[in-house]
Every structure is written in structure tokens, then in C-alpha cells.
Coordinates of all heavy atoms in Angstrom, one line a residue:
R1 N -11.4 0.7 4.2 CA -11.0 0.2 5.5 C -12.1 -0.7 6.1 O -11.7 -1.7 6.7 CB -10.7 1.3 6.4 CG -10.2 0.9 7.8 CD -8.9 0.0 7.6 NE -8.4 -0.5 8.9 CZ -8.8 -1.7 9.4 NH1 -9.7 -2.4 8.7 NH2 -8.4 -2.1 10.6
P2 N -13.4 -0.5 6.0 CA -14.3 -1.4 6.6 C -14.2 -2.9 6.1 O -14.5 -3.8 6.9 CB -15.7 -0.9 6.2 CG -15.5 0.6 6.0 CD -14.1 0.6 5.3
W3 N -13.7 -3.1 4.9 CA -13.6 -4.4 4.3 C -12.2 -5.0 4.3 O -12.0 -6.2 4.1 CB -14.2 -4.5 2.9 CG -15.7 -4.2 2.8 CD1 -16.6 -5.2 2.9 CD2 -16.4 -3.0 2.7 NE1 -17.9 -4.6 2.8 CE2 -17.7 -3.3 2.6 CE3 -16.0 -1.7 2.6 CZ2 -18.7 -2.3 2.5 CZ3 -16.9 -0.7 2.4 CH2 -18.3 -1.0 2.4
F4 N -11.2 -4.1 4.3 CA -9.8 -4.6 4.2 C -8.9 -4.0 5.2 O -9.1 -2.8 5.6 CB -9.3 -4.1 2.8 CG -10.2 -4.6 1.7 CD1 -11.1 -3.8 1.1 CD2 -10.1 -5.9 1.1 CE1 -12.0 -4.2 0.0 CE2 -10.9 -6.4 0.1 CZ -11.8 -5.5 -0.4
D5 N -7.9 -4.8 5.7 CA -6.9 -4.3 6.6 C -5.5 -4.6 6.1 O -4.5 -4.4 6.8 CB -7.1 -4.9 8.0 CG -7.2 -6.4 8.0 OD1 -7.0 -7.0 7.0 OD2 -7.4 -6.9 9.1
G6 N -5.4 -5.1 4.8 CA -4.2 -5.3 4.2 C -4.2 -4.6 2.8 O -5.2 -4.7 2.1
V7 N -3.1 -4.1 2.4 CA -3.0 -3.4 1.1 C -1.8 -3.9 0.3 O -0.7 -4.1 0.9 CB -2.9 -1.9 1.2 CG1 -2.7 -1.1 -0.1 CG2 -4.0 -1.3 2.1
I8 N -2.0 -4.2 -1.0 CA -1.0 -4.5 -1.9 C -0.9 -3.4 -3.0 O -1.9 -3.1 -3.6 CB -1.3 -5.9 -2.6 CG1 -1.6 -7.0 -1.6 CG2 -0.1 -6.3 -3.5 CD1 -2.1 -8.2 -2.2
T9 N 0.3 -2.9 -3.2 CA 0.4 -1.9 -4.3 C 1.2 -2.5 -5.4 O 1.8 -3.6 -5.3 CB 1.2 -0.7 -3.8 OG1 2.6 -1.0 -3.7 CG2 0.7 -0.2 -2.5
Y10 N 1.2 -1.9 -6.5 CA 1.9 -2.3 -7.8 C 3.2 -1.7 -8.0 O 4.0 -2.2 -8.9 CB 1.0 -2.1 -9.0 CG -0.2 -3.1 -9.1 CD1 -1.3 -2.9 -8.3 CD2 -0.1 -4.2 -9.8 CE1 -2.4 -3.8 -8.4 CE2 -1.1 -5.2 -9.9 CZ -2.3 -4.9 -9.2 OH -3.3 -5.8 -9.2
G11 N 3.5 -0.7 -7.2 CA 4.8 0.0 -7.4 C 5.1 0.9 -6.2 O 4.3 0.9 -5.2
A12 N 6.2 1.6 -6.2 CA 6.6 2.4 -5.1 C 6.9 3.8 -5.6 O 7.5 4.7 -4.9 CB 7.8 1.8 -4.3
L13 N 6.6 4.1 -6.9 CA 6.8 5.4 -7.4 C 5.4 6.1 -7.6 O 4.4 5.5 -7.1 CB 7.5 5.4 -8.8 CG 8.9 4.9 -8.8 CD1 9.5 4.9 -10.2 CD2 9.8 5.7 -7.9
D14 N 5.3 7.3 -8.1 CA 4.1 8.0 -8.4 C 3.3 8.2 -7.1 O 2.1 8.1 -7.1 CB 3.2 7.3 -9.4 CG 4.0 7.2 -10.7 OD1 4.7 8.1 -11.1 OD2 3.9 6.1 -11.4
G15 N 4.0 8.4 -5.9 CA 3.3 8.6 -4.7 C 2.9 7.3 -3.9 O 2.5 7.4 -2.7
L16 N 3.1 6.2 -4.5 CA 2.7 4.9 -3.8 C 3.6 4.6 -2.6 O 3.1 3.8 -1.7 CB 2.7 3.8 -4.9 CG 1.6 3.8 -5.9 CD1 1.8 2.9 -7.0 CD2 0.3 3.4 -5.2
D17 N 4.8 5.1 -2.5 CA 5.6 4.9 -1.3 C 5.0 5.6 -0.1 O 5.4 5.3 1.0 CB 7.1 5.4 -1.6 CG 7.1 6.8 -1.9 OD1 6.3 7.3 -2.7 OD2 8.1 7.5 -1.4
R18 N 4.0 6.5 -0.3 CA 3.3 7.1 0.9 C 2.2 6.3 1.4 O 1.6 6.6 2.4 CB 2.8 8.5 0.5 CG 3.8 9.4 -0.2 CD 5.2 9.5 0.5 NE 5.0 10.1 1.9 CZ 6.0 10.3 2.7 NH1 7.3 10.1 2.3 NH2 5.8 10.8 3.9
V19 N 1.8 5.2 0.7 CA 0.7 4.3 1.1 C 0.8 3.8 2.6 O -0.1 3.9 3.4 CB 0.4 3.2 0.1 CG1 -0.6 2.2 0.7 CG2 -0.1 3.7 -1.2
P20 N 2.1 3.3 2.9 CA 2.2 2.8 4.3 C 2.0 4.0 5.3 O 1.5 3.8 6.4 CB 3.6 2.3 4.3 CG 3.9 1.9 3.0 CD 3.2 3.0 2.1
D21 N 2.5 5.2 5.0 CA 2.3 6.3 5.9 C 0.8 6.6 6.2 O 0.4 6.8 7.4 CB 2.9 7.6 5.3 CG 4.4 7.4 4.9 OD1 5.1 6.7 5.7 OD2 4.8 8.1 4.0
V22 N 0.0 6.5 5.2 CA -1.4 6.8 5.4 C -2.1 5.5 6.0 O -2.9 5.7 6.9 CB -2.1 7.0 4.0 CG1 -3.6 7.2 4.1 CG2 -1.5 8.3 3.4
A23 N -1.7 4.3 5.6 CA -2.3 3.1 6.2 C -2.0 3.0 7.6 O -2.9 2.5 8.4 CB -1.7 1.9 5.4
A24 N -0.8 3.4 8.0 CA -0.5 3.3 9.5 C -1.5 4.2 10.3 O -1.9 3.8 11.4 CB 0.9 3.8 9.7
K25 N -1.8 5.3 9.8 CA -2.7 6.3 10.5 C -4.2 5.7 10.6 O -4.9 6.1 11.5 CB -2.8 7.6 9.9 CG -1.4 8.4 9.9 CD -1.5 9.6 9.1 CE -0.1 10.3 9.0 NZ -0.2 11.5 8.1
L26 N -4.5 4.8 9.7 CA -5.9 4.3 9.6 C -6.1 3.0 10.1 O -7.1 2.3 10.0 CB -6.3 4.3 8.1 CG -6.4 5.7 7.4 CD1 -6.8 5.6 6.0 CD2 -7.3 6.7 8.2
G27 N -5.1 2.4 10.8 CA -5.2 1.1 11.5 C -5.1 -0.1 10.6 O -5.6 -1.2 11.0
Y28 N -4.5 0.0 9.4 CA -4.3 -1.2 8.6 C -3.2 -2.0 9.3 O -2.3 -1.6 10.0 CB -3.8 -0.8 7.2 CG -4.9 -0.4 6.3 CD1 -5.5 0.9 6.3 CD2 -5.4 -1.3 5.4 CE1 -6.5 1.3 5.5 CE2 -6.5 -0.9 4.5 CZ -7.0 0.4 4.6 OH -8.1 0.7 3.7
R29 N -3.3 -3.4 9.1 CA -2.4 -4.3 9.7 C -1.2 -4.6 8.9 O -0.1 -5.0 9.4 CB -3.1 -5.6 9.9 CG -4.2 -5.6 11.0 CD -5.1 -6.8 10.9 NE -4.4 -8.0 11.3 CZ -4.9 -9.3 11.2 NH1 -6.2 -9.4 10.9 NH2 -4.2 -10.3 11.5
A30 N -1.3 -4.5 7.5 CA -0.2 -5.0 6.7 C -0.2 -4.3 5.3 O -1.3 -4.0 4.8 CB -0.3 -6.5 6.5
V31 N 0.9 -4.0 4.8 CA 1.1 -3.5 3.4 C 2.2 -4.3 2.8 O 3.3 -4.5 3.3 CB 1.5 -2.0 3.5 CG1 1.9 -1.6 2.0 CG2 0.5 -1.1 4.1
I32 N 1.9 -4.8 1.5 CA 2.8 -5.4 0.7 C 3.1 -4.4 -0.4 O 2.2 -4.0 -1.2 CB 2.3 -6.7 0.1 CG1 2.1 -7.8 1.1 CG2 3.3 -7.3 -1.0 CD1 1.3 -9.0 0.6
L33 N 4.4 -3.9 -0.5 CA 4.7 -2.8 -1.4 C 5.2 -3.5 -2.7 O 6.1 -4.4 -2.7 CB 5.8 -1.9 -0.9 CG 5.4 -0.7 -0.1 CD1 6.6 0.0 0.5 CD2 4.5 0.2 -0.9
G34 N 4.7 -3.0 -3.8 CA 5.1 -3.5 -5.1 C 6.4 -2.7 -5.6 O 6.6 -1.6 -5.2
V35 N 7.2 -3.4 -6.3 CA 8.4 -2.7 -7.0 C 8.1 -3.1 -8.5 O 8.4 -4.2 -8.9 CB 9.7 -3.2 -6.5 CG1 10.9 -2.6 -7.4 CG2 9.9 -2.9 -5.0
W36 N 7.6 -2.1 -9.2 CA 7.2 -2.4 -10.6 C 8.4 -2.8 -11.5 O 8.4 -3.7 -12.3 CB 6.4 -1.2 -11.2 CG 5.9 -1.5 -12.6 CD1 6.5 -1.1 -13.7 CD2 4.8 -2.2 -13.0 NE1 5.8 -1.5 -14.8 CE2 4.7 -2.1 -14.4 CE3 3.8 -2.9 -12.3 CZ2 3.7 -2.7 -15.1 CZ3 2.8 -3.5 -13.0 CH2 2.7 -3.4 -14.4
D37 N 9.5 -2.0 -11.4 CA 10.6 -2.2 -12.2 C 11.8 -2.6 -11.3 O 12.3 -1.8 -10.5 CB 11.0 -0.8 -12.9 CG 12.2 -1.0 -13.9 OD1 12.9 -2.1 -13.8 OD2 12.4 0.0 -14.6
I38 N 12.1 -3.8 -11.4 CA 13.2 -4.4 -10.5 C 14.6 -3.9 -10.8 O 15.5 -4.2 -10.0 CB 13.1 -5.9 -10.4 CG1 13.4 -6.5 -11.9 CG2 11.8 -6.4 -9.9 CD1 13.5 -8.0 -11.9
T39 N 14.7 -3.1 -11.9 CA 16.0 -2.6 -12.2 C 16.1 -1.1 -11.8 O 17.2 -0.5 -12.0 CB 16.3 -2.7 -13.7 OG1 15.4 -1.9 -14.5 CG2 16.2 -4.2 -14.1

């Protein structure tokens, strides 16, 4: 957090869909969620 206020993930499985929930509590400004498998 001291260096970054935006997060990019590579997918939304394996717990990564919870990243925005945590980022919201820590004052991040933006999350770009990855979808690894578009099918």
C-alpha cells in the first residue's frame, strides 16, 4: 500500500475475487480484475 493504490489481478478464481473486498478496507483507489479463462 505505501507504493501502490491500484491493483491488477490475473484471474478471479482461487480467492482472487476477494481482492476488491480487502482493497476497499485498505484505501486502494482502483482494482482491475483479471478473467484468466474467458470461457
Side-chain angles (χ1 to χ4, degrees):
R1 186 62 184 88
W3 291 271
F4 303 99
D5 56 2
V7 181
I8 307 169
T9 76
Y10 284 83
L13 296 178
D14 301 322
L16 286 165
D17 59 320
R18 310 308 299 183
V19 169
D21 302 327
V22 177
K25 298 173 184 176
L26 298 178
Y28 279 79
R29 292 168 62 185
V31 174
I32 298 172
L33 272 177
V35 175
W36 182 262
D37 184 348
I38 60 174
T39 68

